[in-house]
């Protein structure tokens, strides 16, 4: 196999050419597993080169106009010879990786061939499930949404193009010391086979025909993708699933213009306000009818709109949850009462003081807006004076005037996430929400009020299994009693009377440990304490950590359930066979500056800077993002408004302790300044 490049002018191309690279390849192994795929090992080696230049990363058209690939039989290798442009681009990636290899033993690639006749359940399923694999450098899907396969295995072939054309995805394996010999390549191949068995042992080829569906999304993600919004997670999943998105949002939204028009089928300008106006449900119905084509479902991932969207769905004859159930779930006061808490509703400091005095409420207390998010306006109150101050600190322009007063539960806090279908749990996981700034055994609070600012969330939870089961069963019972039987549900809660609590060890790491005698729960059994229900995937980019840790994409599942695609929802709710691939810590970096400063962010991308300065830590970061830009005004931490600057998903395959240590180092190493 040779790659030849242009040397003279276009009209002389047929007369004079220069040999740039020559490669050999051979089909090393063909693995047929008990599962529904076959993997092919192909080793590429650079035989000779008349140039040290790299193979250019041109578009296929530009590449083919300037270069010719000659295959073993002398025929030119064109994109169509490899079955698809994606497969041909991956082939070129293999050649580039071979040129860049530091060993003389070539580069090992794997091709994945479906052995079951049917349709792929999600076009990017192989790269999604192989994220952060320690043995795979690059994973590329060749599939289109709903692509069908004949399901026949490959025995032997000397036709490189045919091998690629039969495959649904390709992997370039890592080029390290383990692959620096032929025996090392064999060991690397076997390691990846074990990875594939763990990650792909679920029905990702469906025997059923998959039809394209259309989903209406109300509120298309407020933050632009460049600013860390959830848009990419939603719309790229929809594209991979073959779901047409019809988006309803305010005129001027970033999805309305041409830059991201390919992410949606249609954009219908619709007036959205928060809180929603009285006729919002009717406006939704009018907008959907103006689309003029059938739709399969309607959904919103904005808590403020779920009731009106459910009401609109009823008018449109689409499947939905009861608006009354969603009204309870998204109102913090009604949720607390439904869960059996002794909770009180107030809308002013005077009302709160009167309730506290008349009911002789014991401190500490929690106050939180009925319509709240991201722990904004949530305060722990330890005295009567604190109570009035906390109420005045709630940003009523964002959250309204009504707030809840209830007891403070001091047990370990957790996030509990459910994927429900017809009342059945398809997937459940819990993570540890480490003590926030207001928790008495957490870090010191910033300012005079005890606010609940996120610090670390650790996946999976280290709570005793019996306590996780208690949370799961109690929270599921609450959801089902409410009538919330379908969808992705993000609940927050605590374990009251837990057998464990947070203590700092001698090496300075805070983590869960068995309760000390003086902090015992007085013989009370552990019980679930519900904080809030969110009938949607977890916010910000939190769904990414579930995707990489378990192989589960919450956004995709939420949309499949919304359009009634139950078969694919069941398939894609299956986590890795051997459980989470590592312990992962979501490290939240919040604003911190003296009150004398103006609060103007005066740094560049703090994530990129840290990764360059600490490449050792960069290797332990799955994903990260800087959420603010230089010159941006950031509220002071004491304001009660979300002040996240960045997040890092930091992992360890070795231990939870090591993951926490990496997280500590990341937090200590982040550099930023304010003016």
């Amino acid at each position: 196999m040779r790659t030849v490049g242009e040397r003279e002018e276009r009209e002389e191309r047929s007369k004079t050419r220069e040999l740039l690279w020559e490669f050999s390849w051979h089909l090393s192994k063909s693995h047929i597993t008990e599962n529904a795929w076959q993997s092919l090992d192909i080793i590429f080696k650079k035989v000779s080169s008349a140039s040290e230049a790299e193979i250019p990363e041109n578009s296929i058209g530009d590449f083919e106009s300037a270069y010719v690939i000659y295959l073993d039989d002398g025929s030119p290798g064109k994109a169509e010879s490899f079955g698809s442009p994606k497969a041909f681009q991956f082939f070129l990636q293999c050649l580039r990786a071979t040129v860049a290899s530091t060993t003389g033993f070539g580069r090992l690639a794997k091709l994945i061939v479906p052995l079951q006749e049917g349709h792929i359940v999600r076009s990017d399923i192989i790269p999604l499930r192989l994220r952060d694999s320690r043995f795979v450098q690059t994973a590329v899907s060749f599939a289109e949404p709903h692509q069908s396969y004949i399901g026949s295995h490959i025995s032997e072939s000397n036709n490189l193009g045919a091998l690629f054309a039969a495959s649904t995805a390709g992997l370039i394996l890592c080029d390290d010391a383990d692959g620096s010999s032929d025996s090392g390549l064999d060991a690397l191949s076997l390691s990846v086979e074990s990875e594939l068995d763990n990650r792909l042992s679920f029905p990702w080829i469906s025997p059923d025909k998959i039809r394209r569906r259309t989903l209406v999304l109300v509120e298309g993600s407020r933050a632009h993708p460049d600013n860390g919004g959830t848009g990419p997670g939603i719309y790229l999943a929809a594209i991979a699933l073959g779901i047409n998105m019809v988006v309803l949002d305010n005129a001027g939204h970033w999805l309305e213009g041409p830059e991201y028009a390919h992410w949606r089928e249609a954009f219908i300008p619709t007036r959205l306000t928060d809180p929603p106006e009285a006729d919002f449900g009717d406006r939704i119905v009018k907008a959907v009818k103006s689309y003029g084509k059938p739709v399969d479902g309607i959904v919103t991932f904005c808590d403020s709109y779920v009731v009106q969207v459910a009401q609109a769905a009823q008018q449109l004859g689409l499947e939905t949850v009861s608006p009354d159930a969603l009204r309870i779930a998204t109102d913090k006061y009604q949720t607390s009462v439904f869960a059996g808490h002794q909770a009180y509703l107030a809308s002013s400091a005077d009302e709160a003081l009167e309730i506290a005095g008349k009911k002789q409420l014991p401190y500490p207390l929690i106050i939180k807006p009925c319509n709240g998010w991201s722990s904004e306006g949530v305060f722990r109150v330890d005295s009567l004076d604190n109570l009035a101050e906390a109420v005045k600190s709630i940003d009523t322009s964002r959250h309204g005037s009504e707030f809840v007063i209830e007891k403070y539960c001091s047990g370990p806090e957790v996030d509990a996430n459910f994927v429900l279908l017809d009342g059945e749990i398809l997937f459940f996981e819990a993570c540890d929400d480490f003590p926030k700034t207001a928790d008495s055994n957490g870090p010191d609070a910033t300012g005079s009020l005890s606010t609940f600012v996120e610090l670390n969330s650790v996946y999976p939870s280290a709570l005793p299994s019996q306590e996780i089961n208690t949370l799961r069963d109690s929270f599921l019972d609450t959801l089902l009693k409410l009538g919330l039987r379908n969808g992705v549900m993000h609940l927050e809660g605590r374990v009251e009377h837990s057998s464990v609590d947070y203590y700092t060890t001698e090496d300075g790491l805070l983590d869960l440990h068995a309760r000390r005698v003086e902090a015992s729960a007085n013989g009370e059994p552990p019980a679930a304490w519900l904080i809030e229900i969110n009938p949607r995937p977890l916010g910000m980019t939190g769904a990414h950590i579930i995707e990489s840790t378990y192989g589960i994409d919450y956004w995709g599942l939420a949309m499949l359930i919304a359009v009634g695609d139950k078969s694919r929802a069941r398939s894609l709710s299956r986590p890795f066979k051997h459980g989470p691939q590592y312990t992962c810590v979501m490290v939240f970096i919040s604003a911190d500056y003296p009150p004398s400063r103006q609060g103007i962010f005066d740094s560049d991308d703090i994530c990129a800077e840290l990764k360059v300065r600490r490449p050792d830590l960069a290797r332990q970061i799955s994903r990260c993002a800087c959420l603010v830009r230089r010159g941006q005004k950031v509220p002071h931490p004491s304001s009660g408004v979300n002040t996240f600057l960045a997040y890092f998903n930091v992992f360890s395959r070795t231990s939870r302790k090591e993951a926490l240590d990496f997280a500590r180092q990341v937090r200590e190493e982040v550099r930023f300044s304010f003016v």
Side-chain angles (χ1 to χ4, degrees):
M1 176 174 58
R2 295 177 296 153
T3 304
V4 179
E6 176 181 25
R7 189 176 72 173
E8 301 294 342
E9 297 295 326
R10 182 179 298 269
E11 62 269 17
E12 296 296 321
R13 191 176 294 164
S14 63
K15 300 177 182 178
T16 309
R17 293 180 182 271
E18 178 184 8
L19 175 66
L20 295 181
W21 301 279
E22 184 174 2
F23 299 87
S24 67
W25 70 274
H26 69 277
L27 183 60
S28 174
K29 285 187 177 62
S30 174
H31 302 268
I32 300 179
T33 70
E34 296 179 356
N35 298 293
W37 76 87
Q38 172 185 13
S39 71
L40 308 174
D41 285 6
I42 299 179
I43 298 176
F44 292 91
K45 293 185 179 182
K46 185 176 71 171
V47 177
S48 65
S49 173
S51 171
E52 293 304 317
E54 295 183 355
I55 297 176
E57 297 192 29
N58 299 348
S59 68
I60 290 178
D62 290 342
F63 186 92
E64 291 188 331
S65 68
Y67 296 87
V68 177
I69 303 260
Y70 288 115
L71 300 177
D72 302 77
D73 59 3
S75 64
K78 298 288 188 178
E80 55 266 27
S81 307
F82 289 78
S84 70
K86 293 178 183 178
F88 186 65
Q89 287 281 23
F90 177 75
F91 165 69
L92 297 179
Q93 281 184 271
C94 292
L95 300 189
R96 293 187 196 103
T98 305
V99 171
S101 176
T102 57
T103 74
F105 291 89
R107 290 306 298 268
L108 177 58
K110 278 185 181 286
L111 299 177
I112 310 297
V113 180
L115 294 182
Q116 181 177 332
E117 183 178 3
H119 304 264
I120 195 163
V121 295
R122 175 171 171 152
S123 63
D124 65 348
I125 190 61
I126 305 274
L128 186 150
R129 298 284 286 201
L130 285 168
R131 174 173 284 277
D132 291 342
S133 169
R134 72 182 83 184
F135 306 114
V136 177
Q137 176 180 301
T138 303
V140 175
S141 174
F142 311 153
E144 297 298 329
H146 308 167
Q147 185 163 334
S148 62
Y149 295 91
I150 60 174
S152 60
H153 78 271
I154 294 173
S155 53
E156 291 294 334
S157 176
N158 292 321
N159 187 327
L160 188 63
L163 298 179
F164 276 76
S167 304
T168 188
L171 317 176
I172 300 176
L173 307 193
C174 292
D175 184 27
D176 54 22
D178 292 336
S180 60
S181 65
D182 288 336
S183 60
L185 291 177
D186 287 341
L188 182 59
S189 174
L190 290 174
S191 295
V192 175
E193 287 304 309
S194 178
E195 283 276 273
L196 293 173
D197 179 67
N198 177 37
R199 295 167 184 255
L200 299 182
S201 294
F202 72 101
W204 53 274
I205 297 292
S206 170
D208 303 321
K209 184 169 179 59
I210 301 173
R211 69 176 178 88
R212 183 170 285 274
R213 306 189 190 217
T214 300
L215 176 64
V216 176
L217 175 62
V218 179
E219 204 267 348
S221 180
R222 296 175 186 177
H224 190 278
D226 291 345
N227 298 327
T230 56
I234 296 170
Y235 299 107
L236 296 181
I239 290 170
L241 291 165
I243 296 176
N244 295 333
M245 300 295 287
V246 176
V247 181
L248 276 55
D249 211 316
N250 288 302
H253 187 274
W254 57 267
L255 264 173
E256 187 175 15
E259 183 180 5
Y260 290 98
H262 60 290
W263 280 10
R264 41 79 175 174
E265 172 76 7
F267 181 90
I268 303 175
T270 309
R271 178 175 166 78
L272 273 63
T273 61
D274 198 352
E277 295 168 338
D279 64 341
F280 184 46
D282 293 334
R283 288 207 304 273
I284 295 172
V285 173
K286 182 179 179 181
V288 174
K289 288 182 177 179
S290 74
Y291 174 58
K293 300 177 185 178
V295 300
D296 297 285
I298 184 169
V299 73
T300 183
F301 298 127
C302 177
D303 296 347
S304 300
Y305 303 142
V306 294
V307 173
Q308 290 76 16
V309 169
Q311 292 169 339
Q314 289 180 333
Q315 294 184 55
L316 293 164
L318 299 171
E319 188 172 338
T320 185
V321 174
S322 160
D324 291 337
L326 292 169
R327 186 176 287 108
I328 293 172
T330 53
D331 183 296
K332 303 295 190 293
Y333 171 69
Q334 293 189 56
T335 298
S336 289
V337 171
F338 191 87
H341 299 175
Q342 191 174 45
Y344 304 91
L345 179 66
S347 56
S348 70
D350 289 341
E351 278 188 66
L353 292 171
E354 182 182 356
I355 291 170
K358 186 179 294 185
K359 301 295 182 180
Q360 296 185 330
L361 300 182
Y363 296 96
L365 298 170
I366 286 290
I367 73 161
K368 56 186 177 181
C370 294
N371 175 32
W373 58 83
S374 299
S375 298
E376 290 189 7
V378 182
F379 300 96
R380 195 188 76 188
V381 173
D382 295 292
S383 68
L384 210 58
D385 291 340
N386 253 179
L387 180 58
E389 184 184 3
V391 172
K392 293 174 183 176
S393 297
I394 295 175
D395 188 337
T396 55
S397 67
R398 290 168 64 84
H399 302 292
S401 60
E402 291 190 329
F403 57 90
V404 190
I405 307 171
E406 64 182 0
K407 84 168 191 177
Y408 166 73
C409 177
S410 62
E413 185 169 346
V414 293
D415 285 355
N417 297 303
F418 294 80
V419 178
L420 297 179
L421 187 61
D422 296 331
E424 175 190 353
I425 297 177
L426 299 187
F427 178 70
F428 169 81
E429 52 80 22
C431 87
D432 295 321
D433 244 351
F434 266 43
K436 299 178 174 65
T437 50
D439 291 310
S440 59
N441 51 359
D444 293 335
T446 301
S448 59
L449 283 175
S450 296
T451 58
F452 287 82
V453 177
E454 302 275 359
L455 295 170
N456 289 340
S457 295
V458 185
Y459 300 76
S461 172
L463 285 170
S465 59
Q466 302 94 319
E467 296 185 15
I468 292 177
N469 292 342
T470 296
L471 286 168
R472 181 198 62 209
D473 295 346
S474 174
F475 290 171
L476 176 63
D477 183 61
T478 299
L479 291 172
L480 296 183
K481 284 180 179 176
L482 267 175
L484 301 179
R485 299 173 52 82
N486 294 285
V488 178
M489 305 290 165
H490 170 59
L491 282 70
E492 299 179 17
R494 290 181 181 251
V495 182
E496 192 172 22
H497 313 309
S498 175
S499 62
V500 296
D501 207 345
Y502 286 94
Y503 300 104
T504 302
T505 59
E506 292 180 359
D507 52 15
L509 292 177
L510 182 73
D511 201 2
L512 287 170
H513 299 279
R515 277 182 175 267
R516 296 167 182 164
V517 174
E518 63 269 22
S520 66
N522 299 319
E524 294 281 350
W529 179 271
L530 180 63
I531 295 175
E532 63 181 51
I533 299 171
N534 302 284
R536 53 158 174 80
L538 61 168
M540 284 183 54
T541 50
H544 287 163
I545 205 168
I546 310 300
E547 179 187 303
S548 64
T549 305
Y550 296 92
I552 300 293
D553 173 29
Y554 282 154
W555 295 116
L557 288 170
M559 291 185 287
L560 286 173
I561 293 171
V563 297
D565 195 333
K566 296 183 179 183
S567 176
R568 284 200 289 170
R570 289 185 181 279
S571 294
L572 291 168
S573 295
R574 299 269 291 271
F576 300 140
K577 182 196 292 188
H578 302 307
Q581 69 165 316
Y582 46 42
T583 299
C584 200
V585 184
M586 193 170 189
V587 181
F588 299 92
I589 305 298
S590 297
D592 182 15
Y593 60 88
S596 59
R597 298 286 177 92
Q598 300 176 51
I600 305 298
F601 188 68
D602 194 37
S603 299
D604 293 319
D605 187 324
I606 59 180
C607 299
E609 189 277 335
L610 181 141
K611 291 172 75 173
V612 169
R613 180 164 43 83
R614 289 292 305 271
D616 57 323
L617 289 179
R619 288 191 289 271
Q620 306 303 138
I621 296 172
S622 172
R623 276 176 165 152
C624 60
C626 184
L627 306 176
V628 293
R629 296 183 177 185
R630 183 185 291 274
Q632 183 175 331
K633 173 74 174 177
V634 179
H636 191 268
S638 63
S639 67
V641 175
N642 186 325
T643 57
F644 294 135
L645 303 180
Y647 78 91
F648 296 84
N649 291 349
V650 183
F651 68 87
S652 168
R653 303 183 198 278
T654 303
S655 67
R656 179 179 169 105
K657 180 179 179 181
E658 184 179 71
L660 290 171
D661 187 51
F662 287 144
R664 175 187 60 79
Q665 292 182 59
V666 165
R667 188 177 296 281
E668 291 174 352
E669 288 291 332
V670 168
R671 304 282 187 265
F672 58 86
S673 60
F674 284 88
V675 294

